[in-house]
Amino acid sequence: MPVGIVAIVVVSAVLVLFRNQLRHSGKPTVLPSFDISWGRLLAFFVVLVLLIARQPWLAAILCIAGLAPGRFARHVLVPLGIPHVTYWFLRSVHLGSGKPDALFLELCSRLRFGRGLSTSALTRLEQRLEHIMPMGYVEDTTKHSVAMVSRAILDAARGQRETARELFLVVQSLPRRLCPRGSRNLSQGWLLADATARRDFAEVLRLCGEGPRTLQRAYFRTLAQRYLGRPLAFGDHLVALCAPVACRGPLAAWRLAKLVRRAAYKSPPPLPSPEASIDLVAAKRALISAASRPVGQVSRAELRSVGRLWHTLDARDAITGGAAEFAALSGQAQSALFDARSASRELLDEVVATFEELWPHALPDEVPSDERCPLILEVEDRIEQRAMSKLERLIAQLPSAADREAPAEACWRAWARLRALSRDTIHVLPGRTESILGPLRRSMINWGAWLYNNNGCKVLGLAVFHWCLEHTPKDNASYELLENNIRLARAAL
Amino acid sequence: MNHERLVKNPLLILGLEPGSSRLEVERVGQKLLGLLAIGARSAQSYATPWGPQPRDEHLIREALAALKDPATRLRAELWFLAPGTPNAPEMAGAAAGDPALAELAFRAVGWRLPCP
């Protein structure tokens, strides 16, 4: 045993000195492949020494650690959840480099039991991350995505959920060759948990259609379907039984399923049809009933019913009649008709504004609806207008050649914000994708090309092209351009 | 959904029914201000479907002003829910932040500390 420990200490000292010499000689700190082989050769030498010194168990552990340090860290060190161990192990094995992977796995390790996530500890980890950015790892493109997922984890640990959500959405959608599976799975896990915590099961179902195919995703889909009272297929029942075992927290996954079943969505009683005799009181109760339910407990179909009620009342001039009564009660009897008309318009505006708040979070239709309620159309128009002005503002604020410094992190964050808003808008207004993205497509493609050609953010540029291609009709002129860009970028990366 | 407009409804604050006349509004408002001035406990809270809520002079004066304006009066009538309404909708505070659900969801995916 003492011989083994002495051997490890000596070898580690040699490794560190060797690394420092490389740094002082001005050689780049990227990790060429021969460094990994060199490290493995040294590990093999240490194992041999230990076997000669009759330490077979230590030799076996070092053999695995030396030959497959990433797997050893992921499957042994991370589950132990001891702060600092994972980071320094990987830095040592990679001769002082390999910071992005080391930082990412160190964060995973700290998340395991919640240790080492105090404000000061997070600040130190952020400082380490800042040394990685801007990234010069042009040869190894996965480092970009690993650094960004570490940034997202730090944001989430600090409670900045919006920015974390935007970054996780980008990372989970990156192609396999640009982003390790562990990063994508972790991003997906956080997104699903975040949507579940907000009881936004419509978002959970949407997330289950994106990102990597995992058992955890299938499990959350069954939870969302149970919550919404939708029937489960035979395969879904199997997933519900087996998937918790595949989750990182199986016991928590089982308890979550029970809690979700208890909080399940219950369909409210049907609303009166417009043909029945309705009045302002009934319409008012229907609106309050729809508006007061928590997120994920009102559907678009219900909102359309309520919208039809209000539209019918407006068409019958019933709102103006009601407003006239209230105006009289308020002592405005002389100009009751004029006040009533403007007051009824204001009331209808208030109703439309309420729908604007509710529509984005309502459960989508299981079958697309062709119904065209004028009030809902007005709501959709307003949502589209607001979204377009935000999107145009974000496009104008994208870092560009005009900025003296366009650090990689700023570009990633800007794209994450733009992508998240576009995604949310398309979800709310699925029939208007082309009218929303069409005017912005050329700017996005040009920005992607600038990122790829001039700013060294090849991975991000490719991610932009992928997103644009996914939302471009095949008969559009930009489709072929995007396919060519992606083909060229893939060949180079 | 902004639950303030349900809880802080001017009609609820003054303890009135929809359709109350202007004279009734004025009379009740002045009575409540007088009771508050002498420190009467009955005037310090008002009934809602979600239990009693605190009431002060500022709130009463705001409610009186709102009910004198036809447009805000109409909104108050729209968002009025009487105390004792059966199956009153959940308030945002009770529904939206379910810490047990959040903690279990994050633990299930391997995050020990749910994000605040």
Side-chain angles (χ1 to χ4, degrees):
Chain A
M1 189 70 169
V3 173
I5 293 171
V6 166
I8 291 166
V9 168
V10 165
V11 168
S12 303
V14 165
L15 290 177
V16 168
L17 283 169
F18 178 61
R19 193 72 220 155
N20 286 342
Q21 268 197 327
L22 272 179
R23 279 211 188 102
H24 290 314
S25 69
K27 299 219 174 138
T29 54
V30 305
L31 188 66
S33 54
F34 77 81
D35 265 356
I36 301 171
S37 313
W38 193 238
R40 284 178 179 164
L41 272 175
L42 283 169
F44 178 71
F45 171 73
V46 171
V47 164
L48 210 58
V49 165
L50 286 169
L51 283 172
I52 293 167
R54 294 185 192 178
Q55 303 289 339
W57 284 111
L58 197 54
I61 291 170
L62 276 179
C63 188
I64 297 167
L67 295 177
R71 283 180 203 272
F72 181 75
R74 269 198 301 277
H75 298 295
V76 177
L77 296 181
V78 167
L80 287 175
I82 305 171
H84 304 297
V85 167
T86 311
Y87 182 79
W88 290 114
F89 166 75
L90 284 169
R91 292 295 307 279
S92 310
V93 164
H94 288 129
L95 305 179
S97 49
K99 243 185 186 173
D101 288 333
L103 193 55
F104 169 67
L105 288 173
E106 172 64 19
L107 282 166
C108 292
S109 163
R110 293 188 189 204
L111 288 172
R112 188 81 181 91
F113 297 114
R115 290 190 206 130
L117 290 175
S118 63
T119 313
S120 52
L122 291 176
T123 307
R124 278 194 292 274
L125 291 169
E126 273 172 354
Q127 284 164 356
R128 281 184 196 161
L129 186 62
E130 273 159 22
H131 285 129
I132 304 174
M133 318 252 201
M135 291 166 279
Y137 298 101
V138 181
E139 295 87 1
D140 194 346
T141 53
T142 58
K143 304 298 181 209
H144 295 251
S145 50
V146 169
M148 288 324 299
V149 80
S150 302
R151 180 73 260 175
I153 294 171
L154 287 165
D155 280 358
R158 284 202 182 277
Q160 293 160 11
R161 288 176 100 157
E162 259 324 296
T163 53
R165 181 178 164 262
E166 289 162 2
L167 285 172
F168 280 131
L169 279 171
V170 175
V171 172
Q172 77 146 5
S173 65
L174 287 173
R176 237 181 305 180
R177 57 195 299 241
L178 299 180
C179 185
R181 193 172 61 168
S183 306
R184 287 182 294 128
N185 289 357
L186 183 133
S187 306
Q188 184 185 66
W190 188 91
L191 289 166
L192 290 167
D194 177 61
T196 305
R198 288 183 281 116
R199 277 210 246 185
D200 192 351
F201 286 95
E203 172 70 5
V204 172
L205 282 176
R206 193 157 46 125
L207 287 166
C208 291
E210 300 172 4
R213 287 174 185 268
T214 56
L215 266 180
Q216 88 181 342
R217 181 178 102 166
Y219 184 63
F220 275 87
R221 191 179 62 238
T222 62
L223 287 183
Q225 284 173 319
R226 277 222 167 97
Y227 178 84
L228 298 171
R230 292 186 187 170
L232 296 177
F234 178 69
D236 293 331
H237 287 292
L238 276 180
V239 164
L241 280 173
C242 307
V245 178
C247 288
R248 289 167 194 255
L251 193 57
W254 283 114
R255 289 171 59 196
L256 180 65
K258 273 206 240 174
L259 200 62
V260 165
R261 222 173 289 138
R262 255 191 283 143
Y265 167 70
K266 290 165 192 60
S267 302
L271 294 163
S273 65
E275 289 73 33
S277 62
I278 51 163
D279 56 10
L280 202 51
V281 173
K284 182 194 88 167
R285 285 210 68 105
L287 181 65
I288 293 181
S289 166
S292 311
R293 269 182 270 143
V295 170
Q297 292 221 350
V298 65
S299 66
R300 287 188 191 170
E302 286 174 80
L303 288 181
R304 272 194 212 95
S305 300
V306 178
R308 275 200 303 269
L309 277 177
W310 279 94
H311 175 69
T312 308
L313 283 178
D314 191 31
R316 292 180 193 171
D317 232 9
I319 303 176
T320 309
E325 286 177 34
F326 298 136
L329 286 168
S330 311
Q332 303 287 322
Q334 285 84 13
S335 55
L337 190 61
F338 176 79
D339 284 342
R341 287 216 182 275
S342 67
S344 75
R345 284 267 55 92
E346 283 185 33
L347 182 69
L348 213 49
D349 275 346
E350 175 113 0
V351 171
V352 170
T354 306
F355 272 90
E356 257 189 270
E357 286 174 28
L358 298 174
W359 192 253
H361 304 291
L363 296 167
D365 305 313
E366 284 188 69
V367 175
S369 167
D370 285 332
E371 197 193 307
R372 289 283 171 259
C373 169
L375 191 139
I376 298 295
L377 281 177
E378 187 181 342
V379 170
E380 288 183 347
D381 286 340
R382 286 194 191 187
I383 292 175
E384 185 182 348
Q385 245 175 1
R386 238 172 345 122
M388 281 305 294
S389 67
K390 275 191 200 163
L391 284 168
E392 280 160 11
R393 202 166 49 242
L394 284 178
I395 293 258
Q397 288 169 357
L398 287 173
S400 67
D403 300 314
R404 254 191 276 164
E405 288 178 2
E409 186 180 331
C411 295
W412 278 87
R413 285 194 183 278
W415 172 242
R417 223 169 299 132
L418 180 62
R419 187 189 183 282
L421 182 58
S422 310
R423 174 184 176 268
D424 290 343
T425 309
I426 291 166
H427 170 70
V428 174
L429 305 170
R432 302 188 186 201
T433 305
E434 192 51 29
S435 69
I436 293 165
L437 290 184
L440 309 172
R441 187 173 290 123
R442 186 50 71 160
S443 306
M444 286 192 194
I445 295 174
N446 288 344
W447 191 62
W450 173 77
L451 284 169
Y452 188 90
N453 294 328
N454 301 328
N455 208 44
C457 290
K458 293 187 187 299
V459 172
L460 184 55
L462 187 51
V464 173
F465 295 146
H466 269 293
W467 164 255
C468 291
L469 184 71
E470 208 182 306
H471 297 96
T472 301
K474 284 195 174 164
D475 55 357
N476 192 288
S478 302
Y479 192 85
E480 209 179 308
L481 170 68
L482 283 165
E483 277 189 323
N484 281 338
N485 283 352
I486 289 172
R487 200 169 25 244
L488 289 168
R490 274 187 189 155
L493 281 175
Chain B
M1 163 70 182
N2 182 4
H3 286 82
E4 287 268 302
R5 55 188 162 190
L6 290 176
V7 177
K8 292 206 169 144
N9 188 292
L11 289 167
L12 270 183
I13 290 169
L14 298 179
L16 293 167
E17 294 287 316
S20 303
S21 69
R22 192 182 178 197
L23 283 175
E24 277 173 33
V25 168
E26 198 60 44
R27 186 177 55 81
V28 166
Q30 294 306 323
K31 180 182 167 190
L32 284 172
L33 287 170
L35 285 171
L36 265 181
I38 61 170
R41 277 212 181 155
S42 59
Q44 289 170 3
S45 64
Y46 63 99
T48 71
W50 306 279
Q53 300 288 321
R55 177 166 56 188
D56 58 19
E57 185 188 332
H58 176 69
L59 213 56
I60 293 171
R61 290 196 189 281
E62 271 190 349
L64 280 170
L67 292 178
K68 282 178 189 159
D69 180 89
T72 48
R73 171 73 187 253
L74 200 57
R75 270 193 224 111
E77 301 272 351
L78 172 68
W79 296 113
F80 176 79
L81 261 189
T85 301
N87 303 320
E90 277 179 73
M91 296 311 290
D98 188 342
L101 189 70
E103 192 179 339
L104 285 175
F106 280 101
R107 279 201 192 187
V109 298
W111 287 63
R112 186 70 174 196
L113 293 178
C115 305

